[in-house]
Amino acid sequence: MVQTLSASCYSGSPVVSAARLTILHVDMDAFYASIEQRDRPELRGLPVIVAGSPEQRGVVSAASYEARVFGVHSAMPTAQARRLCPHGVFLPGRMKHYARIGRQIREILLQFTPLVEPLSLDEAFLDIHGCERLFGDAVAIGRQIKERIKTETGLIASVGIAPNKFLAKLASDLSKPDGFLVVHPQEVQAFLAPLPISRLWGVGARGEKRLHALGLHTVGQLAVLPESVLLHHFGESGQHLWRLAQGLDSRTVTPDRDARSISTETTFPLDLDEREILRTCLLDLVDQLGTRLRHEAMRARTVELKLRSADFKTRSRSLTLAEPTDVTEELWQAAVALFERHVQGDILPLRLLGVGATNLVREQLVQGDLFEGERREKQAKLDRTIDAIRARLGRDAIQRGSLLDSPDG
Amino acid sequence: MKAFCHREGLLAACQLASAAIPSRDVKPILKNIKAIADQGRCTLMATDLELGIRLDVLGLTIQEPGEAILPAQRLLAILREAQENDLNLEADSSSCVVRGQGMEFEMPSDDPSHFPDIPTFNEDKYHEIAGSTLREMIRRTVFATADESTRYSMTGVLWELDGDTIKLVATDGRRLALAQGTAKAHGDHTTRGQTPVVPTKAMQLLERNLQDDGQTIRVCLRPNEVLFRTELAVIYSRLVEGRFPDYRAVFPKKQGIKVTLPVGPFQAAVRQAAIMTDDDSKRVTFSFGNDRLTLLAQGQTAGRSKVEMPVTYDGKKVDINFNPSFLIEMLRVLPPDAELTLDLIDGATPALFRSGSNYSYLVMPLT
């Protein structure tokens, strides 16, 4: 077993200096709730709240803009949403239906560029460089995408266009609902400067407090400081903040197909310190990861756990397996071993939990096992069955037993 | 304690003993070697609490008996760097001093009574094995143990001692090595009904203590621990917890094809073919037929290789894919002029390699 420790930080060359306007962030407005309002005209204009059944997780997965007026937002406990908006229309959600529409939207995006990185059913990054000759520049492509999603699905997407991912996502977030915002390379500083520092990716409630304590309230105030000051106060994450405040982000748009790693993560609305709940979230993430690996016909040699604590310090811990795998159970064993070893004590509470598969291999032959052959074959069969059901009926059509039952399943 | 010592002899002993020093910080005192000088004999002790060794040092003249804690890392460095062969060692609970012509080293020490004790060998139930036999058996098995903690129960070597037979078995689930030899039981010592697994680290330490031929080794297995007695050392280790898999069940019951392979040329062919494997594709296809073995490899980016060697087999063509490392690791521990027999059923079931009547090696193919 090989264990590596790597601090998460941004490396690579600054993007802005040679920046071009090629990154799009497409994000559906109140996706699930909007689908319900589209399908049932009588719900239009009403506060619609799609929420997981209280027995399961009991959190809001989508709230229409009418409901948001009452303070309801996604990831809020259903009980709280009921208190805030007692007259709201609470719906259990039809995941297979939403998934189908999500795929329809994905297809539209893929017609403009192969470089589509889905973040979830209703959100994706696109890199359109090299596609301008066919469809026009980024702004023209953004307009076409918004228009086509509207005519083909009847739903509204907000689109952010910028030189990098961080700015593109910020642009779509800030322009919602029915947004369309372009951040040109020469406007980056002016765009960022007045924003509150909480808009910087990775700054949560506690980080905000610490920054406020230093007299920093806007991105502009932070951006003019020398990098060393932030490094001094916040270590590597300070450096990361400084780069973001300059509008720098060197992450590339990576479709799963070319990925050297596949990962999935979840940010909690509140910092979470209950290990049992975190474990359940982890199982859900590993479950998604397995499905994506198998979908891309790749196997992972290394499983990586990503942890961001309340002080927004991000850590990765990884475990290299004896043999690469795409079996959910084997991914889970590795992930939970990392979890048990590293998620404790001072790292809690967590604001983000993620799991990734790295060192991916495409080799299709699998090393046989003298003792576990049958068991593994059974698990692989189970995975294939679950994948097939989900492909037809949507992700929540079937769940791992332990996700529904107790956290230690 | 105070002693005259022979640099090389003490260095060799300290190196052997230091293999039991924990690599992680368990307890600061365990980073040291404890020395006991008494009645003309000096014994070194080291332990990581799972594994411990007491080792007699030769070529040491005791001037004043006593006990002392010797800082292992610095002492080893001194013994390695010193030019002359005769050194003076003087140590008590506060300091450890090494003197030679024109040099003096003083290191802080510790209270020897704080060092955990390591058992001695006072058993009347044990097995006796020739050191050279045991050394070869260990070399032929220990490389096949699992090193990942997800397969914790396989992170050591299974010992079976019964009557005049000793069997060592090691596996990581993908391949399995079984070595057999003769031993002599004393006091009805047996492992029947148990599956004692000795950790890999203890096996390696034992092997390093078997360099001198002609010695006889005693081994005593207890429910949770093992004791070995070599000529100069007593090695203690806790056993690996967990259930070792039923290795007998995985040996093929059916008769398949049989091919004889000369170890040296076969190893050369596998190593050549393996040049074109890479991280993404660790596999070589072995194709038997027409009195020929053809090895093919193709990496994702590396290129491809084809290597042929003559064999005596003219039956139905059989193809099987192996991770070449699993074969190379086994071939490396056999004499190059020996012969191997390979029993093969098809490309999906384990292949059985045998050398003589005392060594079997099973490998699972890639399918």
Side-chain angles (χ1 to χ4, degrees), chain A residues 75-381:
Chain A
M76 169 183 282
T78 309
Q80 193 184 346
R82 278 192 203 279
R83 276 198 302 277
L84 289 170
C85 188
H87 60 293
V89 182
F90 284 81
L91 301 171
R94 299 176 289 159
M95 286 310 297
K96 63 179 178 186
H97 184 53
Y98 308 150
R100 201 161 45 225
I101 297 162
R103 275 196 301 278
Q104 199 185 342
I105 292 163
R106 186 89 39 91
E107 288 308 316
I108 296 172
L109 301 180
L110 283 165
Q111 286 169 18
F112 291 91
T113 171
L115 293 178
V116 175
E117 179 181 332
L119 296 176
S120 61
L121 271 184
D122 60 341
E123 189 184 352
F125 282 116
L126 284 77
D127 184 343
I128 55 93
H129 90 267
C131 306
E132 294 100 322
R133 233 175 255 191
L134 284 168
F135 303 106
D137 65 12
V139 178
I141 290 177
R143 290 268 175 227
Q144 291 171 65
I145 286 173
K146 200 170 155 69
E147 191 53 41
R148 281 196 54 185
I149 291 177
K150 176 129 192 237
T151 50
E152 290 176 34
T153 68
L155 297 167
I156 307 290
S158 287
V159 177
I161 304 173
N164 62 44
K165 281 173 144 182
F166 164 61
L167 294 168
K169 185 165 163 59
L170 209 49
S172 72
D173 284 352
L174 288 174
S175 62
K176 267 175 175 305
D178 198 6
F180 191 90
L181 185 60
V182 183
V183 182
H184 287 281
Q186 65 273 16
E187 302 165 354
V188 170
Q189 298 299 344
F191 168 69
L192 286 173
L195 298 178
I197 34 130
S198 58
R199 281 287 174 184
L200 291 178
W201 179 62
V203 177
R206 278 186 209 200
E208 191 178 3
K209 231 185 208 169
R210 288 179 65 193
L211 288 162
H212 283 174
L214 292 171
L216 299 171
H217 296 270
T218 66
V219 176
Q221 289 172 328
L222 199 152
V224 295
L225 293 176
E227 189 178 359
S228 55
V229 172
L230 284 142
L231 188 65
H232 172 74
H233 282 283
F234 298 99
E236 271 169 13
S237 37
Q239 217 167 5
H240 154 79
L241 287 182
W242 185 84
R243 285 181 56 82
L244 290 179
Q246 311 301 314
L248 299 176
D249 176 10
S250 48
R251 293 172 300 162
T252 53
V253 172
T254 322
D256 284 358
R257 224 166 287 279
D258 304 332
R260 281 172 58 239
S261 67
I262 293 182
S263 63
T264 161
E265 60 187 45
T266 183
T267 306
F268 306 114
L270 297 166
D271 296 341
L272 255 183
D273 61 358
E274 278 189 62
R275 298 183 79 244
E276 290 311 315
I277 298 176
L278 289 167
R279 260 177 76 116
T280 309
C281 291
L282 182 63
L283 179 57
D284 191 24
L285 291 170
V286 169
D287 191 27
Q288 292 177 36
L289 186 69
T291 301
R292 280 172 70 187
L293 275 173
R294 294 186 293 275
H295 182 71
E296 298 299 332
M298 287 196 282
R299 284 179 295 130
R301 202 179 282 286
T302 303
V303 174
E304 193 175 271
L305 199 64
K306 182 175 170 186
L307 309 166
R308 182 173 301 145
S309 42
D311 57 0
F312 61 93
K313 214 180 248 170
T314 307
R315 280 163 258 215
S316 305
R317 296 287 185 273
S318 67
L319 186 67
T320 295
L321 307 165
E323 292 293 333
T325 189
D326 62 1
V327 175
T328 295
E329 171 67 19
E330 292 177 355
L331 297 168
W332 166 244
Q333 289 305 334
V336 83
L338 287 168
F339 180 87
E340 295 302 341
R341 201 167 318 137
H342 299 296
V343 179
Q344 50 193 343
D346 55 351
I347 201 167
L348 291 168
L350 292 184
R351 53 179 310 100
L352 176 147
L353 178 65
V355 64
T358 60
N359 280 324
L360 301 180
V361 296
R362 282 189 187 280
E363 161 74 63
Q364 289 309 296
L365 292 192
V366 178
Q367 171 64 49
D369 196 288
L370 287 163
F371 310 104
E372 299 278 316
E374 254 174 65
R375 203 170 83 105
R376 193 196 273 170
E377 183 48 43
K378 266 190 205 153
Q379 282 161 355
K381 219 174 182 173

